[in-house]
Amino acid sequence: MAEMQETLEFLRALQMNNNREWFHANKAWYDRVQAQWNSFCEALLAEMGKVDASLASLTVKDCTYRIYRDTRFSTDKSPYKTHFGVFICPGGKRSMHAGYYFHVSVGGDEGYPHAHMLASGNYCYDKEAVRVIREDISDDWERFQREVLLVADARFVPDMEGALKRVPHEFSADAPYADWMRMKSFCLNLWLDDDFILSPNLLSRVVALFQTTKPFVDFVNRAVDYVHEL
């Protein structure tokens, strides 16, 4: 996609010039790229609304993020993000529900060329929701494997970042689901390269991959909704 090519070019230029002077001088370029990204997100929302009716009423604003970084508590004072992201979930990005995340990025020394990512789930849940999710997985592990994990595209992997070092005492460390008990961010990740991002059928490929993870998102949101109703 020509639009994504320009998006990558802008992000890489921004990475090399992450300062307010450069950004202000190139604001027209940013505005054009952001408009292209928003247009893609709008099309993605429309398609994901067909996959899951609970997403149909969302707007681009409900699901996208500002490019400006919050540097108050970070040693990195770079003022701008070097990625564009969209998170599509019931209730919008601040709802704490599981959903579908896609970002295009410059990556880094370790991430390149896999700078781009699809993720299904969420990285931040209420503690009670984490407890319920763990119990649901451990109580019916075989069904979770069969009807959730094995349905997802095999390239998705569980996100173990920030996981506990040890399995909580109430679960067996030898159980086949032990690693899932250590998780706090119940999320499946898939890293992508530039060839995928620049594919002429990017939209349909993203939707098709996300669709394979719908059982996982539904599984997690069942626990989130249960906790919210308590």
Side-chain angles (χ1 to χ4, degrees):
M1 298 178 67
E3 296 87 352
M4 287 298 174
Q5 180 66 58
E6 185 172 19
T7 298
L8 296 183
E9 291 172 357
F10 173 81
L11 290 174
R12 287 168 183 158
L14 177 59
Q15 182 186 42
M16 299 295 294
N17 304 275
N18 201 328
N19 59 76
R20 291 178 176 80
E21 292 76 17
W22 183 90
F23 189 84
H24 291 161
N26 288 272
K27 186 62 164 51
W29 189 13
Y30 165 71
D31 288 342
R32 183 169 70 250
V33 169
Q34 184 190 41
Q36 292 168 354
W37 174 253
N38 287 347
S39 178
F40 176 85
C41 292
E42 188 172 4
L44 181 59
L45 276 168
E47 292 302 311
M48 291 304 297
K50 299 174 186 177
V51 172
D52 184 342
S54 70
L55 309 175
S57 63
L58 294 171
T59 67
V60 169
K61 187 176 181 180
D62 295 328
C63 305
T64 54
Y65 302 87
R66 288 160 51 89
I67 199 169
Y68 308 98
R69 294 182 65 246
D70 183 352
T71 62
R72 291 174 297 170
F73 308 107
S74 174
T75 56
D76 179 4
K77 299 303 181 182
S78 301
Y80 306 106
K81 301 171 185 175
T82 54
H83 67 272
F84 286 103
V86 56
F87 182 44
I88 303 171
C89 71
K93 59 194 176 189
R94 295 185 177 88
S95 70
M96 295 186 72
H97 279 87
Y100 308 90
Y101 178 73
F102 173 48
H103 86 209
V104 176
S105 172
V106 297
D109 293 339
E110 295 181 1
Y112 185 82
H114 305 293
H116 322 297
M117 184 176 80
L118 298 180
S120 294
N122 202 339
Y123 72 92
C124 182
Y125 299 103
D126 180 277
K127 288 184 179 180
E128 184 64 13
V130 170
R131 182 188 67 79
V132 174
I133 295 168
R134 287 173 177 163
E135 289 182 352
D136 286 350
I137 293 173
S138 61
D139 287 347
D140 206 350
W141 170 245
E142 290 185 0
R143 183 179 179 183
F144 179 69
Q145 281 188 301
R146 182 178 65 254
E147 298 183 7
V148 177
L149 297 184
L150 293 179
V151 175
D153 187 284
R155 289 170 290 178
F156 280 96
V157 297
D159 182 358
M160 299 303 295
E161 184 175 355
L164 300 172
K165 292 183 178 180
R166 297 178 181 175
V167 177
H169 65 85
E170 61 266 37
F171 303 103
S172 171
D174 297 326
Y177 50 77
D179 281 345
W180 285 88
M181 301 302 99
R182 295 194 297 116
M183 291 171 64
K184 293 185 290 184
S185 301
F186 290 92
C187 197
L188 300 176
N189 297 342
L190 193 165
W191 298 98
L192 308 167
D193 59 19
D194 285 359
D195 287 342
F196 186 100
I197 297 302
L198 298 176
S199 168
N201 56 343
L202 173 64
L203 178 64
S204 62
R205 295 181 74 182
V206 168
V207 172
L209 285 168
F210 275 152
Q211 193 162 8
T212 71
T213 65
K214 184 177 185 297
F216 178 79
V217 171
D218 290 345
F219 181 93
V220 173
N221 279 337
R222 183 179 66 183
V224 174
D225 288 338
Y226 171 76
V227 170
H228 285 180
E229 291 169 1
L230 291 178

